[in-house]
Amino acid sequence: MRRPLLLLLGLLLLHQGHCFEFVIDGEWEEEASEVQDHRQRHKRAILTSEEEEDFQAIRGDDITVKSYRVESRITSRFAHVTVRSSVVNSGSKAQSIGFNVQIPKQAFITNFTMNVNGITFVGSVKEKTVARNLYTQARARGKAAGIIRANSQDMETFKTEVHVPSGSNIEFELHYQEMMHRKLGHYEHNLYLQPGRLVPQFQVDVYIFEPKGISMVQTSNTLGQQFTELIKVVSTDNKAHIVFKPNLQQQRKCDNCTDSAIDGTFTVMYDVKRDSNAGELQVSDGHFVHFFAPTNLSPLPKNIVFVIDVSGSMWGVKMKQTVEAMQAILDDLTLDDQFSIIDFNHNVRCWSEDLVSGSSIQIADAKKYIQNIKPNGGTNINEALMRAVQMLLKASNQGLIDSRSVSMIILVSDGDPTVGEIKLSAIQKNVRKIMREEFSLFSLGIGFDVDFDFLERIAMENRGIAQRIYANHDAAEQLRTFYSQVSSPLLRRIAIQFPEDSVSEVTQNRFDKYFSGSELVVAGKVLPSESNTLTSFTTASAARLDIRMDTGADIAELDTELVKHQHSFTGFARQMWAYITIKQLISDRSLAQTAAKKRMVTKQIMSLALEHQFVTPLTALLVESEDATERLLADSPRDPKHGCCSGGGIGGPRHPVPKVPIVYQVPPWVQMSTPAPPSSVEKGPVEWTVPEKVTLVDNDPHFIVHLPGSNMDVCFNIDSKPGHILNLVSDRGTGVVVNGQLISSKQVHNSKLSTYFGTISVDYQPDGVSVTITTDMIAMSDGSNNHSFTWAATAEITQDGVRINIVKNSHVIVTVNDNIQVMVLLHRVYKKHPVNVDFLGVYIPNDNQYSPVVHGLIGQFSREPEVNVFDIHEGADPLKKEATMEVKGNKLLVTRGWQKDYRRDTRQGSNVYCWFIHNSGKGFIDGHYTDYIVPDLHSFL
C-alpha cells in the first residue's frame, strides 16, 4: 500500500502522529471583512521570525538537489517564468521537503505541477470558494495545503512542503507571468536566486524578443563578484539570451565550503528601439498592445507642495533619511518650477504660504528649514493635506499656475492620523471634495507602522500613486528614486484611440500625465475586419504644443514572426491584455463605493482570472493528483502590510465609468474613463496638400519657379558648396524665414560633386518658434522648449501660430498662421549607395500671403516679374529648344528642358517643362546667388 503524501505549508501541528492540521496565514475575503473599525486599523504588521529567517529555495535534511533551473521568456515586455527543481530524499527516513520560490508582487502565478514517485499533481485556477470546498474535502481526509504568502519586500513567496518516504524522487515546476514596467528609461526583470545549497545542474536562462529591436541589455550582478564572468549576454538586433550556469565548484562560498554563494537577485535590464514618438503598435493572437514612450520632448513645469510628517514617530533614522532625500530633490527643481513645503505633527506649518520659484536662493532657504525640523507630537494629516490643496487652489485662482504645468502634492508620512480628523474615510472624502482634476496626490509611506491601504486609496482617488518606503539604510535613495520617476512630466491629457468597430474591450486608454522614462500601455481585442492593418491615433499636450500622432500595424505580420523564434512567448498579447485588465479591475474594486459595484467588478475579475488561469486575490490554485484524491491549495491572501490587495494595480477601470473614482498606478499613469473615439478620429489622418502649381527646389538643387501670370515655369540651378546656407524666404513683415543648408554626395560622380538640401529651417519670429527638418528628424523649438519627432510616424503638432503635419516617411508641411505653407519632401536612398545620400526637397505654394517686403531665392517671386520669351529656335540638343528671355531689364539665353516634381512619385518624379536659366539664375534672380548665403539656419537676409 502506497504511503499517503502530505503537502504542508504554514504552521503544522502534529495530531496523534498521523494527521496534520493547517493554519493558513491569510484569510478568505468576505464583503463584511471590508468594514474595519478604528482599532483594527492600528494592528500593525511587523516582521515575524519566519520572515527574518534565511530563505532557501529547497529545504530539507539529507536531500539531494539534482537540478534547479529558471527559464524566463520575455516577449514584447511580457514575461513567462518557469522554475523547475528535481530533488531526492536521500535520507534514511521519511521527511518534509520544501520548495519555495520568491516572485515579484506584480506577477500572477499561472500554474504549479509536481511529480512525486510517479504521482503527478496538476494545478488549475478556480474561484476561491470552489477551491476551498474541494480542498476542505481533501483536508478532512488528512491531506495537505500550500499557499502564496506576502513577505516584507516587493515580492511574494510561494511555499510548498511535501512529506515523502526515503528514496523518493520529487519534481517541482512553478509558472508565473508578469508585465515589465518601464521606469527611469529601462525595463527591469528580477529573478530571486537563493537555492540554499549546492546544485549539480544549476542554470538560469532569460530569452528576450522585442520585434522593434533591443537598444540596450545588461545585467546587474548582486550575487557577488565571483559570478561576474559567469553571466553571459548574447544579443542581436531584436533578440537577447542571458545565461547563468555556474558549476558546483563555482557555486561554493569558498574552495572547501559546502554552502552555496548564490544568494541574491539576478537582474536583467533592457530597453527597446523606438523609431518614432507615436509609439509601437503590435497585433498578435487577435489582440493588440500599444506601447507609448515618447522622448526628445521638453519637460512641463511643475508646481509641487511637499507635505512632510514630522511627528514624534519620525524621530531618528526616518527623519534623517527624509532630510537627506529632500536635499537632492530640491536641487532638481528649476526656475520654471514652483514649490513650497508643509510640515506637520499635531500642528501644521508652512515654510512659505505661497508657491515660490525654484531659484537657488529659495532652494537654499528651504534646505535650511528642513534641516532644522525636530520631530515631535501627533499626526494631523487631514489639516496638512487641506492646506496643501488650498495653496495650489490659491495659486491657480490667481493665475500663477501655467495651464500646461503639472501640479502635485507629495505626502511623506509614517503613521496614522492621531490629531484633528482621524477617521480615514472622512479624510479621503475631504481631500477628494476640494482637489481639482488637474492636481495629483502622491503618498509615500515610511515603514510598517503606517496604514498603507489608506495612503494607497487617497492617492489613487486623486490621480496619483502610493509607494512604501522601507525604513532602512537606503530609505533616502528610495525617496529620491520615487521622485525621479515623477520629476519630469512630458505630456498631459494623453488619449490613445482607434477607429470605430476596429477594437473592443480596450484597457485604460486616457492618461492624465506621461513622465519621462516610463511607458503607457493600452491593450485590447481586435475585431474582424477586411483591413489588414490596425491604426491608432494618439493626442496629447506638451509644453506649448498640441500633438496628434498616428501609427499602424499589420494584423498578421507579428504572428508569422513569432513562430520563427523558438523561445518567444506566442501568447503574450492575449495574456498581457488580461493581465492589464485584471490589475485595473483590482484597483477599481478597491475604490468601489457601493457593495453592488464591488460585486460586479469581483465577478469580472474572477471570470478573466479563470479564463486566463491567473492566481489573483480572488482566485486560488488547486493542485491535485490525477485521481483527485490528493490536493493542495495556493491562494493569494489579503496582505496586511501592503494594502487591500496583493499585487497592486495598473490603473483605472476597464469599462466607462463616472469620473469618480479616478485610478492611478505607475506606470502607465492611467487615469480616465474610456469613451468611444470621436467621429473625427474614425476618419483617420487628415492629408494636407499644397496647390497644384508651386515653386519648388529639389534634387541638386534645382529651382522651378512657377509664374502664374505668364503661365510658365522657369528653372535654374544653384552651384554652391556643402555647408552653405541659402535663404529661400525672408519676410520681416510676417516674421517668417525659410533657409536650407547644403550637403554633398558621398563622392565625385561624372566629374561633379553634387549638392542637396540636408536641412530646412522654418522660423516664425513673432512667437519665437523654429522648425528644423533634417533627413533624420523634425525638431520644434521656442527658445526654452525643444521637441523632436522622427519620420517614422504620421503626426500633427501645433504650437501658437505654427502647425506641423508629418506624413510618415514622405513629407512635412509647416503652416504659419494658416496662410503660409512650406512642404518639405523626404528622399531616401539605399544606405550603402557609393554616391547618393538622403536629401530634402522644398515645395512652396504661390498663394502664400507674405508681406510686401518678402525676399529670398523663392520669396522674391511672390511679386511676379514681367517675362517675355521670343526667338525660339533649335538648339545644340535637338530635344531642347533655345530662346531669348527678357526679364528685369536683362536679355538671357534660355534652354527649353525639364525638371522633376517628386510630390506624386518620389522615386521617378513627374516632368515639369521649363525655360532653364544658366549661371545659377544670373539675371533672373536679384543680384548674385552668393547674396543669398546667410550665416545660420535662422538668419533673415
Side-chain angles (χ1 to χ4, degrees):
M1 178 176 175
R2 190 195 304 271
R3 184 172 181 173
L5 297 175
L6 297 178
L7 299 145
L8 313 177
L9 180 72
L11 305 176
L12 308 181
L13 305 176
L14 188 60
H15 179 62
Q16 295 182 351
H18 298 287
C19 295
F20 291 88
E21 292 291 325
F22 309 95
V23 179
I24 308 300
D25 58 341
E27 60 185 54
W28 294 98
E29 188 170 6
E30 307 288 353
E31 293 291 341
S33 69
E34 295 301 315
V35 182
Q36 299 182 354
D37 62 22
H38 182 69
R39 289 172 299 173
Q40 188 69 23
R41 285 197 287 105
H42 289 276
K43 289 185 178 180
R44 288 285 166 256
I46 59 175
L47 293 177
T48 65
S49 59
E50 182 182 2
E51 289 170 332
E52 291 176 330
E53 68 183 354
D54 291 335
F55 179 90
Q56 290 185 338
I58 308 296
R59 287 186 179 274
D61 300 321
D62 295 324
I63 64 173
T64 300
V65 181
K66 295 192 294 184
S67 67
Y68 191 86
R69 298 178 183 272
V70 180
E71 180 182 285
S72 180
R73 289 182 292 156
I74 304 173
T75 297
S76 296
R77 292 78 143 174
F78 200 74
H80 183 125
V81 181
T82 305
V83 184
R84 300 182 180 93
S85 185
S86 178
V87 182
V88 176
N89 180 6
S90 49
S92 59
K93 55 186 178 181
Q95 65 167 315
S96 292
I97 295 174
F99 172 71
N100 309 322
V101 180
Q102 288 185 302
I103 68 173
K105 279 192 177 295
Q106 292 294 324
F108 284 145
I109 288 177
T110 56
N111 206 351
F112 173 69
T113 59
M114 183 171 62
N115 187 290
V116 184
N117 294 330
I119 298 179
T120 301
F121 290 77
V122 179
S124 60
V125 177
K126 300 184 182 298
E127 293 183 20
K128 275 194 172 184
T129 51
V130 174
R132 178 175 58 175
N133 290 336
L134 290 171
Y135 163 69
T136 302
Q137 296 170 17
R139 177 180 169 187
R141 296 194 297 272
K143 308 307 176 188
I147 198 169
I148 302 168
R149 178 183 59 83
N151 72 4
S152 60
Q153 298 296 323
D154 290 330
M155 62 189 81
E156 292 176 335
T157 304
F158 176 87
K159 304 186 73 173
T160 306
E161 291 188 8
V162 55
H163 195 80
V164 294
S166 174
S168 296
N169 289 279
I170 313 102
E171 294 178 352
F172 302 100
E173 184 172 307
L174 180 73
H175 297 255
Y176 66 87
Q177 295 175 2
E178 70 166 328
M179 176 176 151
M180 302 290 98
H181 295 300
R182 190 170 185 257
K183 295 181 180 181
L184 302 178
H186 64 266
Y187 308 95
E188 191 169 290
H189 185 48
N190 295 312
L191 299 171
Y192 302 96
L193 306 179
Q194 297 158 303
R197 61 190 69 237
L198 301 176
V199 181
Q201 298 179 37
F202 185 97
Q203 185 165 339
V204 177
D205 290 283
V206 178
Y207 300 95
I208 303 172
F209 174 65
E210 290 289 346
K212 284 287 187 181
I214 298 171
S215 63
M216 174 276 291
V217 59
Q218 61 187 53
T219 59
S220 175
N221 182 16
T222 60
L223 301 174
Q225 287 300 313
Q226 70 188 85
F227 298 116
T228 301
E229 299 300 321
L230 302 180
I231 301 173
K232 306 298 182 184
V233 179
V234 178
S235 62
T236 59
D237 180 58
N238 58 8
K239 292 187 294 183
H241 179 205
I242 300 92
V243 62
F244 176 52
K245 188 179 179 181
N247 59 35
L248 271 175
Q249 186 60 34
Q250 291 166 336
Q251 294 174 42
R252 299 180 190 274
K253 280 190 174 181
C254 61
D255 289 343
N256 299 317
C257 292
T258 58
D259 293 332
S260 174
I262 301 175
D263 184 4
T265 305
F266 185 83
T267 301
V268 176
M269 295 174 292
Y270 79 96
D271 202 15
V272 302
K273 295 178 180 177
R274 294 176 177 84
D275 59 9
S276 83
N277 276 343
E280 180 182 349
L281 182 60
Q282 299 181 9
V283 181
S284 175
D285 193 21
H287 293 72
F288 75 86
V289 186
H290 183 106
F291 302 99
F292 184 67
T295 57
N296 300 318
L297 300 172
S298 288
L300 298 163
K302 304 183 293 292
N303 314 294
I304 307 181
V305 181
F306 298 98
V307 181
I308 302 173
D309 185 346
V310 295
S311 60
S313 58
M314 286 286 288
W315 183 267
V317 174
K318 290 181 182 177
M319 197 68 233
K320 181 181 178 182
Q321 299 269 329
T322 301
V323 170
E324 180 186 334
M326 284 301 299
Q327 304 291 314
I329 288 171
L330 289 171
D331 280 335
D332 180 73
L333 297 174
T334 70
L335 281 172
D336 292 330
D337 298 327
Q338 299 185 96
F339 78 104
S340 187
I341 298 169
I342 293 175
D343 62 295
F344 70 96
N345 45 28
H346 50 283
N347 294 317
V348 176
R349 291 163 299 279
C350 297
W351 164 70
S352 170
E353 294 290 341
D354 300 302
L355 295 176
V356 300
S357 68
S359 67
S360 57
I361 294 175
Q362 300 285 14
I363 288 172
D365 189 59
K367 286 182 177 180
K368 185 183 297 184
Y369 179 84
I370 291 173
Q371 287 174 334
N372 292 328
I373 290 175
K374 299 290 187 273
N376 65 84
T379 307
N380 192 345
I381 290 179
N382 184 73
E383 186 180 343
L385 289 176
M386 292 297 101
R387 292 279 287 276
V389 179
Q390 288 162 3
M391 190 179 293
L392 291 176
L393 286 171
K394 179 182 176 183
S396 179
N397 292 336
Q398 293 177 346
L400 302 176
I401 288 181
D402 187 329
S403 61
R404 289 183 180 268
S405 64
V406 171
S407 299
M408 62 181 79
I409 297 167
I410 297 181
L411 168 67
V412 181
S413 180
D414 77 330
D416 274 343
T418 60
V419 178
E421 179 59 74
I422 62 174
K423 189 177 180 182
L424 300 186
S425 60
I427 297 174
Q428 285 178 240
K429 184 177 180 180
N430 291 342
V431 175
R432 186 173 66 242
K433 186 176 180 180
I434 68 169
M435 280 280 277
R436 289 186 181 173
E437 285 190 8
E438 63 264 32
F439 301 162
S440 294
L441 171 62
F442 298 93
S443 303
L444 300 176
I446 300 183
F448 286 92
D449 52 347
V450 62
D451 193 319
F452 190 75
D453 184 32
F454 163 69
L455 293 181
E456 189 172 51
R457 285 173 180 267
I458 201 170
M460 289 165 64
E461 280 189 332
N462 295 285
R463 296 158 299 283
I465 65 163
Q467 182 163 312
R468 184 180 292 283
I469 303 297
Y470 299 99
N472 53 28
H473 66 282
D474 70 344
E477 180 60 28
Q478 294 175 57
L479 284 165
R480 288 194 296 269
T481 298
F482 171 83
Y483 175 77
S484 65
Q485 294 177 49
V486 300
S487 64
S488 188
L490 300 184
L491 295 173
R492 290 190 61 199
R493 298 182 180 138
I494 306 102
I496 300 174
Q497 299 172 293
F498 303 83
E500 189 178 23
D501 300 328
S502 67
V503 297
S504 67
E505 299 188 59
V506 179
T507 61
Q508 202 69 33
N509 69 340
R510 290 179 177 264
F511 307 86
D512 186 62
K513 300 174 185 70
Y514 167 73
F515 292 87
S516 178
S518 66
E519 185 170 61
L520 309 181
V521 183
V522 177
K525 294 182 177 180
V526 180
L527 295 174
S529 170
E530 294 181 0
S531 174
N532 296 324
T533 303
L534 178 66
T535 304
S536 69
F537 312 103
T538 302
T539 58
S541 295
R544 294 182 64 187
L545 290 184
D546 290 318
I547 300 170
R548 171 193 164 120
M549 294 173 284
D550 308 340
T551 191
D554 186 283
I555 291 176
E557 184 178 26
L558 182 55
D559 282 334
T560 303
E561 187 69 17
L562 288 173
V563 173
K564 301 176 185 177
H565 300 280
Q566 179 183 356
H567 296 286
S568 66
F569 178 21
T570 54
F572 86 91
R574 179 177 183 271
Q575 291 299 94
M576 183 180 281
W577 167 78
Y579 176 97
I580 296 172
T581 302
I582 290 172
K583 291 288 187 180
Q584 291 178 357
L585 287 170
I586 289 172
S587 295
D588 190 27
R589 184 178 185 273
S590 71
L591 293 179
Q593 297 180 8
T594 65
K597 170 69 173 176
K598 187 169 218 172
R599 283 193 295 270
M600 181 186 75
V601 178
T602 298
K603 185 177 180 180
Q604 290 176 304
I605 294 172
M606 287 196 295
S607 175
L608 278 172
L610 295 178
E611 180 184 352
H612 295 266
Q613 291 293 285
F614 285 145
V615 178
T616 71
L618 302 176
T619 52
L621 182 68
L622 186 72
V623 186
E624 56 186 352
S625 58
E626 293 172 340
D627 59 4
T629 59
E630 309 268 358
R631 292 187 178 122
L632 71 144
L633 182 72
D635 82 271
S636 183
R638 173 186 291 273
D639 178 1
K641 304 180 192 66
H642 291 78
C644 67
C645 303
S646 174
I650 293 189
R654 183 164 59 104
H655 300 293
V657 296
K659 268 191 174 176
V660 178
I662 297 174
V663 182
Y664 263 88
Q665 189 67 309
V666 58
W669 315 94
V670 171
Q671 300 338 285
M672 306 178 186
S673 60
T674 309
S679 58
S680 60
V681 171
E682 297 164 14
K683 298 175 183 176
V686 177
E687 178 69 25
W688 289 80
T689 59
V690 294
E692 181 68 24
K693 295 296 186 178
V694 299
T695 292
L696 64 94
V697 193
D698 216 325
N699 222 316
D700 182 21
H702 301 313
F703 286 71
I704 307 177
V705 178
H706 178 66
L707 303 176
S710 305
N711 192 26
M712 72 169 65
D713 294 292
V714 179
C715 306
F716 59 91
N717 294 347
I718 295 292
D719 294 319
S720 193
K721 296 179 180 179
H724 279 180
I725 300 170
L726 300 179
N727 175 257
L728 304 179
V729 177
S730 180
D731 187 2
R732 291 189 180 275
T734 60
V736 173
V737 61
V738 181
N739 293 319
Q741 185 167 32
L742 296 173
I743 57 174
S744 70
S745 55
K746 295 175 183 176
Q747 60 185 2
V748 174
H749 182 63
N750 292 333
S751 303
K752 184 178 184 296
L753 184 67
S754 298
T755 55
Y756 310 89
F757 280 125
T759 303
I760 300 296
S761 176
V762 181
D763 285 68
Y764 181 47
Q765 193 179 57
D767 289 321
V769 178
S770 172
V771 180
T772 304
I773 303 163
T774 72
T775 56
D776 295 322
M777 59 85 182
I778 301 96
M780 193 172 198
S781 174
D782 59 17
S784 58
N785 300 297
N786 298 286
H787 312 277
S788 64
F789 304 85
T790 70
W791 286 94
T794 296
E796 180 179 309
I797 305 103
T798 305
Q799 176 170 343
D800 301 322
V802 179
R803 181 175 65 246
I804 305 173
N805 290 88
I806 304 170
V807 176
K808 181 179 179 180
N809 293 324
S810 176
H811 62 270
V812 171
I813 296 177
V814 180
T815 306
V816 179
N817 281 342
D818 292 326
N819 57 21
I820 296 177
Q821 281 191 344
V822 178
M823 177 175 139
V824 179
L825 188 68
L826 175 66
H827 292 273
R828 291 275 194 222
V829 300
Y830 177 51
K831 291 296 182 185
K832 295 182 180 180
H833 195 286
V835 177
N836 295 341
V837 292
D838 293 348
F839 65 96
L840 304 172
V842 182
Y843 295 74
I844 299 178
N846 291 88
D847 59 357
N848 276 351
Q849 297 176 26
Y850 303 115
S851 78
V853 299
V854 65
H855 210 271
L857 285 169
I858 291 177
Q860 63 185 286
F861 296 106
S862 67
R863 299 179 298 275
E864 183 176 340
E866 278 192 41
V867 176
N868 181 25
V869 178
F870 58 93
D871 189 22
I872 301 174
H873 57 274
E874 296 292 334
D877 185 342
L879 298 178
K880 296 181 180 179
K881 293 186 180 296
E882 293 183 350
T884 300
M885 175 184 289
E886 284 186 344
V887 58
K888 297 182 180 180
N890 303 311
K891 287 187 178 181
L892 309 175
L893 177 64
V894 294
T895 304
R896 182 67 165 166
W898 61 85
Q899 298 292 358
K900 296 287 189 179
D901 180 341
Y902 290 94
R903 285 178 296 166
R904 291 174 181 79
D905 183 350
T906 56
R907 294 184 64 85
Q908 302 298 326
S910 57
N911 289 331
V912 176
Y913 286 91
C914 59
W915 289 107
F916 185 80
I917 297 172
H918 305 276
N919 300 320
S920 295
K922 185 177 180 180
F924 181 66
I925 63 174
D926 294 337
H928 193 267
Y929 85 87
T930 55
D931 298 335
Y932 299 88
I933 298 175
V934 292
D936 64 63
L937 280 168
H938 313 292
S939 297
F940 285 80
L941 279 180

